[in-house]
Amino acid sequence: MGRRRQLYEGKAKILFEGPEPGTLVQYFKDDASAGNGAKKGVITGKGVLNNRISEHLMLRLHEIGIPTHFIRRLNMREQLIREVEIIPLEVVIRNVAAGSLSKRLGIKEGTRLPHPIVEFYYKNDSLNDPMVSEEHITAFGWACAHDLEDIVSLSMRINDFLCGLFVGIGITLVDFKLEFGRLWENDNMRIVLADEISPDNCRLWDSKTSQKLDKDRFRQDMGKVEEAYQEVAMRLGILPEAT
Ligand code: C5P
């Protein structure tokens, strides 16, 4: 593929103009950041693994009828996606207490929650992605009540499915973050899953040992970060390729 116009560069990905109208190319970098950019580093080979892991999970979700922005993987670090209007929310789904939930509410890390909990954060780096309620979201027009209903029901279906998929490979899906977008087709709008699903935005613990197999290893300087991402890819049956 020749040179393409770069549209956006984020902390872990770059978006380029796609080959056809309505498409984009999503490029996965090895760059890692935590604490809204306070900590920066490189996880060698992360981009290649996340591209494969996200492809795999988006395809499995597509098979059970979850609409996603994913079209196809193009190469080691790039995938073709549909251009969507990103809803400025980070939707976090939690099954087990960890991270900011444990910190904020004093719930011991590792406590299984009585039911999955959905939280919304307003995607805004300069405000540090503050937590918001459904009332904030509808009042400030980030999404209407109908969009939110779709977002919550899709999030719950995604959580149910991914919990089962990970249990099958000896991994507990502790929590994860999703992003959604609006896809316009002939005057019809659908809410679709966007962004990526990878160890960058999921907490994944080995079911037996509770060993962390995700970005917390980078956030907490635990070492063996690449190895953890590789382990997830291997258990998902995605053959590791040369990076
Ligand atoms: O830090 P916190 O406990 O709120 O994170 C919940 C989940 O959301 C974790 O899986 C984390 O990886 C993900 N997350 C993310 N991007 C953010 C904040 C959280 O992917 N900006």
Side-chain angles (χ1 to χ4, degrees):
M1 215 174 264
R3 283 180 69 81
R4 291 164 309 219
R5 199 154 68 92
Q6 181 175 316
L7 301 177
Y8 169 81
E9 177 156 11
K11 294 175 203 124
K13 293 187 293 292
I14 307 176
L15 289 178
F16 295 98
E17 208 168 56
E20 288 119 37
T23 66
L24 301 175
V25 172
Q26 179 163 253
Y27 176 98
F28 288 75
K29 302 195 280 186
D30 284 348
D31 297 355
S33 72
N36 191 18
K39 178 182 163 82
K40 288 199 175 99
V42 168
I43 304 173
T44 310
K46 171 174 85 83
V48 175
L49 289 165
N50 281 358
N51 188 18
R52 294 297 306 271
I53 293 170
S54 197
E55 171 197 22
H56 182 82
L57 297 177
M58 292 271 182
L59 286 174
R60 297 294 79 76
L61 288 168
H62 172 76
E63 286 165 6
I64 61 151
I66 302 286
T68 84
H69 73 162
F70 182 82
I71 303 175
R72 66 175 181 278
R73 187 166 63 85
L74 296 171
N75 55 48
M76 302 274 270
R77 287 182 182 272
E78 293 178 328
Q79 47 184 243
L80 188 66
I81 59 171
R82 271 178 238 289
E83 184 171 23
V84 300
E85 182 189 314
I86 287 286
I87 295 170
L89 295 175
E90 301 205 333
V91 182
V92 169
I93 299 98
R94 302 180 186 271
N95 299 300
V96 174
S100 70
L101 177 87
S102 291
K103 218 172 168 181
R104 203 173 49 242
L105 302 180
I107 315 279
K108 192 171 179 300
E109 185 170 284
T111 310
R112 166 76 47 186
L113 301 170
H115 57 78
I117 293 177
V118 180
E119 296 171 349
F120 302 102
Y121 296 84
Y122 177 43
K123 243 172 97 72
N124 185 316
D125 281 346
S126 59
L127 297 174
N128 264 322
D129 300 340
M131 190 194 248
V132 292
S133 71
E134 299 198 15
E135 300 229 347
H136 293 125
I137 295 167
T138 51
F140 301 122
W142 301 321
C144 67
H146 189 262
D147 291 349
L148 263 179
E149 220 173 273
D150 285 355
I151 289 172
V152 171
S153 78
L154 286 170
S155 298
M156 285 304 184
R157 282 171 63 199
I158 293 167
N159 183 47
D160 278 354
F161 178 77
L162 291 184
C163 278
L165 183 147
F166 280 115
V167 163
I169 55 171
I171 291 175
T172 303
L173 179 59
V174 170
D175 58 32
F176 59 109
K177 184 264 295 183
L178 298 174
E179 292 186 29
F180 293 89
R182 294 188 186 90
L183 179 64
W184 295 91
E185 281 164 334
N186 319 316
D187 280 351
N188 279 324
M189 190 280 285
R190 287 193 296 156
I191 302 284
V192 305
L193 178 64
D195 194 48
E196 68 177 301
I197 309 180
S198 75
D200 266 10
N201 43 41
C202 299
R203 285 199 173 93
L204 303 167
W205 294 355
D206 181 273
S207 307
K208 285 208 183 92
T209 64
S210 293
Q211 190 194 5
K212 294 182 177 168
L213 299 172
D214 56 61
K215 201 168 117 181
D216 271 352
R217 300 197 74 87
F218 168 79
R219 295 187 185 104
Q220 299 168 11
D221 293 317
M222 297 172 73
K224 295 211 185 317
V225 189
E226 293 93 330
E227 288 84 348
Y229 282 59
Q230 287 265 4
E231 178 69 25
V232 173
M234 259 161 42
R235 291 200 202 177
L236 285 170
I238 302 164
L239 292 179
E241 297 176 14
T243 54

